[in-house]
Amino acid sequence: MGHNPDGVCAQRIRALLHTRALGRVLTVLCETASTNAELRARECAVHGETVIARRQTAGRGRLGRRFESPEGGLYLSVMLRGYAEPGQVTIRAAAAVHRAVLSVCALRCSIKWVNDLLLDGRKVCGILTEGVCSPQTGRLTGAVCGIGLNVGAVFEPPLDKTAGSLPAGVDKNALAAAVLCELERCLDEPFDAVLRYYRAHCPMAGQDVTVRPSGLPPYEARVEGIDDEGRLVVVRGGQRQALSSGEVSLHRED
Ligand code: BTN
């Protein structure tokens, strides 16, 4: 059997895991359409059940976008059952991945509200949290938190201005285990403590942005900060608004 020392391997991840629930049921697939879709289709998936793929053929991003997921990256989804605050999951996950990248790769990303991690201003990680409903009752039964990290990827112009990657050679098994450990910790922590960490690594306050609310025309605003519910507070024409979703692009990126 071929052995790929750089490859994601369930046995190695298990050996590094110190979690109570996350990743205790773990499947590593060579390929799947989307780890989020795979896990959402598992009606009996338990809390913490995790699917990791070496590549995705139809990786999903926020706002219906595609998430390019070639071999080499780390694509991981976790089932969260009975979690009281599904609306906080993406913020908690961003803080968790930030901590994991810092501890495993010794790299300090910045967080771009709400769900992106940037390295030198380029996106290296995206997070997509999706609700899961019972097909019988239609009621919400959980949430799947999907995390995609670019590793060793090289982007051609013009994408190379906005898309970045963790270096090739990152230990993806250590990174996957650290993401799961930190995610469990960030889900358990009081939200104000998570927000303190998130704000400290999300340097958007004072920046000019374009806000693209879904279905409405874009507008310019200045970021004031992140409120206690994790919403982005922007000021537009003297009026303060708290955004809980939507797309925001930084002007400084140009
Ligand atoms: C975004 O940046 O818009 C979110 C991207 C989320 C991608 C991850 S990769 C693992 C999981 N499976 C998916 O299909 N999407 C998420």
Side-chain angles (χ1 to χ4, degrees), residues 34-36 56 59-62 67 76-77 123 126-127 146-148:
S34 150
T35 53
N36 268 28
Q56 298 183 119
R60 301 213 290 240
R62 282 177 78 233
F67 186 79
L76 168 161
S77 298
K123 174 168 170 170
I127 298 166
I147 295 163

Side-chain angles (χ1 to χ4, degrees), residues 35-59:
T35 53
N36 268 28
E38 169 74 33
L39 203 45
R40 291 176 85 207
R42 296 185 183 184
E43 271 184 57
C44 299
V46 295
H47 175 66
E49 188 160 334
T50 298
V51 175
I52 301 181
R54 297 195 181 103
R55 59 179 176 274
Q56 298 183 119
T57 54

Side-chain angles (χ1 to χ4, degrees), residues 180-218:
L180 291 166
C181 291
E182 295 293 354
L183 183 56
E184 191 164 273
R185 168 179 167 193
C186 286
L187 290 169
D188 285 350
E189 252 178 16
F191 195 46
D192 61 344
V194 176
L195 276 177
R196 225 173 295 129
Y197 186 91
Y198 188 98
R199 287 187 186 113
H201 297 285
C202 178
M204 290 174 72
Q207 290 207 40
D208 293 323
V209 292
T210 302
V211 180
R212 301 175 205 282
S214 62
L216 292 169

Side-chain angles (χ1 to χ4, degrees), residues 60-95:
R60 301 213 290 240
R62 282 177 78 233
L63 310 170
R65 296 194 187 123
R66 225 181 124 80
F67 186 79
E68 290 304 326
S69 316
E71 182 101 34
L74 181 61
Y75 315 109
L76 168 161
S77 298
V78 185
M79 174 64 78
L80 303 172
R81 298 278 191 202
Y83 190 69
E85 299 289 352
Q88 297 176 354
V89 169
T90 298
I91 293 262
R92 291 177 183 271

Side-chain angles (χ1 to χ4, degrees), residues 148-169:
L149 282 146
N150 301 330
V151 182
V154 178
F155 296 95
E156 300 295 327
L159 213 57
D160 63 340
K161 278 188 135 185
T162 51
S165 180
L166 300 178

